[in-house]
């Protein structure tokens, strides 16, 4: 992919002053981005680099989005995209580089040295830090926090988003709308019924994630499945652990701290020492669900990231897909603004969907491999063991696992 950095001046360019000095009139920008998550902010940064004006509409406050605890595992391809956009410096300085993981089934464990196998590591760097880095690099006037997109209109020649800021509505006219507003945003809802075709899988369980003030018990991630279900040991630096447990749907609030620690000890042993308990400073509940739109484009509206597809977190693909979609769309927009070349925009939907299906496939495999799902029988336990053994014993299966885990399989 050519870099989104460009030295040549774009053919269309607007002034760099505040896009919306008053919030009650009809305003205009080239690209209107809904959502200041990793997907939307990456497109915004790429547009700034090529001199195309964009504005980001974000329903929540700056403080909220900068502190929302979510993903932590960043693929090397994502790091390259962010670095090309000039926002990879802190990540490359602060992120821990991981070259292996422990895959544990009951009382047997095996290390997967994906770094040696693929030649590439993954990086541990909190998603909210990526969001902070992208916001810091942006013109603060161009991200409208506490502003909700309430209506999305797209014709074949132009488009507009109506937003609500503190009870006042105004309309933003634009050439293109980027729907980067996650799984419950306005852009997915705005699609006409005939363009809402999608595919879904609900695994019927949740993850309960905690952030705890305690040193990680190992240097690498541990993905573990026991008869009582899945547990994941991850980390945020040297003094914080990020830990996840499979729990029954909707049961997260009933888990006391004590029960969480007991269950983590049980499910992460014996491949690991007992975890030293620390204050739990954050809890997250996530439904294990997959969703994908058949077509993430409608006229001048392009959906990216979780708005277009959500994957269960088992394989840590959501953030990486979001940034990848953003880079792919940014490149297509660059070609449009540079040369009025619309091939990239026409191909965006099928390219993004194809890559997302590969991530869906691997996420579904990781979910099956590592969780005890409602309705599972002994047959499922046996096939899970056979699958685990195959990955651990067979170099081709191991290579395939490693390629998907680091994201090479989608390139
Ligand atoms: P989001 O981050 O959801 O951003 C969408 C933004 O749009 C939000 O800020 C929202 O406030 C805003 N918005 C919504 N509606 C509107 C509206 N109407 N108007 C204006 N703004 C609106 N992925 C990984 O790759 N690696 C991991 O390790 C990983 N772990 C995860 C762990 C957990 C616990 C969870 C929950 C997710 C994890 N993911 C992981 C997934 C990853 O966090 C998401 O896929 C990622 O946040 C998607 O980014 P996005 O920009 O598409 O959407
Ligand atoms: C993390 C989350 C994941 O979903 C995963 O597979 C690996 C790590 C994390 O938040 O650290």
């Amino acid at each position: 992919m050519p870099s989104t950095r460009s030295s040549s001046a774009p053919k269309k360019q607007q002034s760099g002053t505040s896009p919306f000095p008053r919030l009650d009139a009809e305003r205009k920008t080239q690209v209107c981005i809904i959502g200041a998550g990793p997907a939307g902010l990456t497109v915004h940064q790429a547009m700034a680099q090529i001199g195309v004006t964009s504005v980001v509409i974000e329903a929540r406050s700056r403080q909220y989005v900068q502190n929302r605890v979510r993903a932590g595992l960043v693929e090397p391809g994502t790091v390259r995209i962010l670095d090309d956009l000039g926002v990879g410096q802190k990540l490359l300085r602060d992120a821990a580089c991981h070259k292996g993981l422990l895959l544990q089934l009951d009382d047997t464990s095996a290390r997967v040295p994906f770094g040696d196998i693929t030649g590439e590591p993954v990086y541990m760097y909190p998603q909210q830090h990526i969001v902070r880095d992208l916001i810091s690099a942006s013109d603060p006037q161009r991200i409208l926090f506490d502003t909700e997109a309430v209506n999305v209109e797209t014709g074949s020649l132009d488009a507009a988003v109506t937003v609500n800021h503190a009870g006042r509505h105004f309309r933003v006219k634009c050439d293109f709308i980027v729907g980067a507003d996650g799984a419950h945003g306005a852009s997915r809802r705005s699609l006409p019924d005939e363009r809402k075709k999608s595919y879904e899988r609900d695994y019927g369980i949740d993850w309960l994630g905690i952030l705890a003030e305690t040193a990680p018990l190992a240097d690498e991630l541990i993905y573990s499945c026991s008869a009582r279900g899945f547990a994941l040991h991850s980390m945020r630096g040297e003094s914080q652990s990020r830990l996840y447990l499979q729990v029954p749907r909707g049961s997260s609030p009933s888990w006391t701290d004590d029960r969480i620690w007991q269950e983590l000890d049980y499910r992460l042993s014996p491949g690991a020492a007992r975890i030293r308990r620390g204050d739990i400073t954050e809890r997250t509940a996530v439904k294990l669900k997959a969703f994908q739109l058949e077509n993430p484009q409608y006229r001048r509206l392009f959906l990216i990231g979780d708005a277009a597809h959500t994957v269960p977190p088992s394989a840590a693909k959501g953030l990486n897909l979001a940034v990848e979609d953003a880079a792919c769309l940014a490149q297509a927009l660059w070609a449009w603004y540079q040369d009025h070349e619309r091939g990239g925009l026409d191909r965006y939907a099928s390219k993004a969907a194809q890559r997302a299906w590969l991530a869906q496939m691997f996420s579904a495999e990781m979910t099956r491999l590592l969780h005890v799902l409602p309705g599972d029988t002994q047959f499922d336990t046996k096939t899970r063991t056979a699958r685990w053994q195959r990955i651990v014993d067979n170099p081709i299966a191991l290579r395939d696992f490693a390629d998907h885990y680091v994201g090479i399989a989608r390139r």
Side-chain angles (χ1 to χ4, degrees):
M1 167 182 127
S3 164
T4 40
R5 277 182 186 164
S6 165
S7 52
S8 46
K11 289 196 171 147
K12 287 188 183 178
Q13 195 164 10
Q14 294 181 343
S15 90
T17 55
S18 169
F20 306 116
R22 290 167 63 236
L23 294 179
D24 54 359
E26 202 164 75
R27 300 291 167 192
K28 197 163 169 30
T29 187
Q30 287 174 302
V31 178
C32 182
I33 300 165
I34 312 174
L41 291 169
T42 301
V43 175
H44 185 52
Q45 176 68 6
M47 293 302 99
Q49 296 240 323
I50 59 170
V52 170
T53 61
S54 65
V55 66
V56 182
I57 309 295
E58 169 55 53
R60 312 299 294 248
S61 68
R62 176 171 182 165
Q63 210 207 350
Y64 181 88
V65 300
Q66 292 197 152
N67 291 296
R68 183 166 42 197
V69 177
R70 280 195 174 171
L73 191 149
V74 188
E75 294 176 354
T78 305
V79 175
R80 262 193 294 278
I81 291 169
L82 295 172
D83 200 36
D84 275 352
L85 289 172
V87 286
Q89 237 176 341
K90 274 200 186 148
L91 191 161
L92 287 165
R93 187 191 67 201
D94 297 341
C97 219
H98 284 217
K99 295 183 174 175
L101 61 85
L102 210 63
L103 212 49
Q104 198 164 287
L105 186 63
D106 299 320
D107 51 3
T108 341
S109 61
R111 182 170 183 272
V112 175
F114 56 80
D116 292 338
I117 297 170
T118 64
E120 299 200 41
V122 299
Y123 298 79
M124 296 307 298
Y125 190 69
Q127 175 169 323
Q128 69 271 27
H129 289 201
I130 293 181
V131 165
R132 284 177 209 173
D133 296 346
L134 283 161
I135 291 174
S136 303
S138 164
D139 174 350
Q141 306 270 31
R142 295 195 170 273
I143 306 179
L144 305 185
F145 291 103
D146 302 302
T147 305
E148 188 186 1
V150 290
N151 193 36
V152 174
E153 303 157 56
T154 174
S156 43
L157 293 176
D158 55 7
V161 178
T162 305
V163 308
N164 175 357
H165 176 81
R168 293 162 76 192
H169 288 71
F170 67 107
R171 201 161 166 269
V172 184
K173 282 177 153 186
C174 53
D175 302 334
F176 298 102
I177 301 169
V178 178
D181 46 355
H184 310 289
S187 34
R188 206 194 266 181
R189 274 200 309 275
S190 77
L191 291 171
D193 286 346
E194 71 276 13
R195 295 301 284 268
K196 281 197 170 106
K197 184 169 169 52
S198 61
Y199 305 88
E200 289 177 54
R201 165 61 50 91
D202 186 344
Y203 293 97
I205 52 169
D206 295 350
W207 271 19
L208 167 57
I210 61 161
L211 194 61
E213 295 302 315
T214 184
L217 56 77
D219 292 340
E220 295 182 339
L221 269 63
I222 305 169
Y223 290 84
S224 176
C225 181
S226 74
R228 298 220 304 239
F230 170 80
L232 169 60
H233 163 270
S234 180
M235 63 284 290
R236 298 289 183 269
E238 285 170 11
S239 56
Q240 284 187 320
S241 297
R242 181 75 168 144
L243 300 149
Y244 296 97
L245 281 175
Q246 163 186 350
V247 298
R249 172 65 48 86
S251 72
S252 301
S254 68
W255 285 70
T256 61
D257 289 5
D258 200 41
R259 187 171 166 215
I260 292 173
W261 289 118
Q262 275 178 20
E263 201 60 24
L264 284 166
D265 277 343
Y266 176 86
R267 295 190 197 175
L268 290 171
S269 296
R274 305 241 139 195
I275 308 168
R276 191 147 21 93
R277 298 181 181 195
D279 284 348
I280 297 179
T281 53
E282 197 270 347
R283 280 174 176 240
T284 321
V286 194
K287 290 189 173 86
L288 256 74
K289 278 183 168 184
F291 170 94
Q292 187 157 330
L293 280 173
E294 166 86 7
N295 183 349
Q297 185 210 341
Y298 177 59
R299 296 183 177 159
R300 290 181 163 249
L301 166 67
F302 293 84
L303 288 95
I304 63 174
D306 277 16
H309 40 67
T310 42
V311 291
S314 323
K317 295 299 170 215
L319 161 68
N320 296 292
L321 275 181
V323 171
E324 206 168 69
D325 281 356
C328 176
L329 181 60
Q331 192 189 5
L333 288 168
W334 174 78
W336 167 260
Y337 282 109
Q338 197 73 8
D339 301 319
H340 270 271
E341 157 59 47
R342 59 167 303 145
L345 290 172
D346 290 343
R347 285 189 297 275
Y348 165 76
S350 69
K351 274 169 83 175
Q354 205 178 351
R355 269 198 322 266
W357 276 119
L358 284 172
Q360 292 282 13
M361 180 198 81
F362 185 62
S363 304
E365 278 182 16
M366 285 282 271
T367 303
R368 270 252 148 252
L369 179 71
L370 295 165
H371 298 77
V372 179
L373 297 176
D376 269 7
T377 63
Q378 283 187 334
F379 181 88
D380 300 291
T381 311
K382 292 286 185 195
T383 50
R384 179 166 40 246
T385 308
R387 178 73 193 134
W388 186 89
Q389 205 65 51
R390 176 85 180 154
I391 292 167
V392 168
D393 287 346
N394 183 282
I396 295 168
L398 185 63
R399 166 92 215 195
D400 192 55
F401 180 95
D403 280 355
H404 279 283
Y405 191 77
V406 303
I408 288 175
R410 298 197 310 281
R411 284 186 205 155

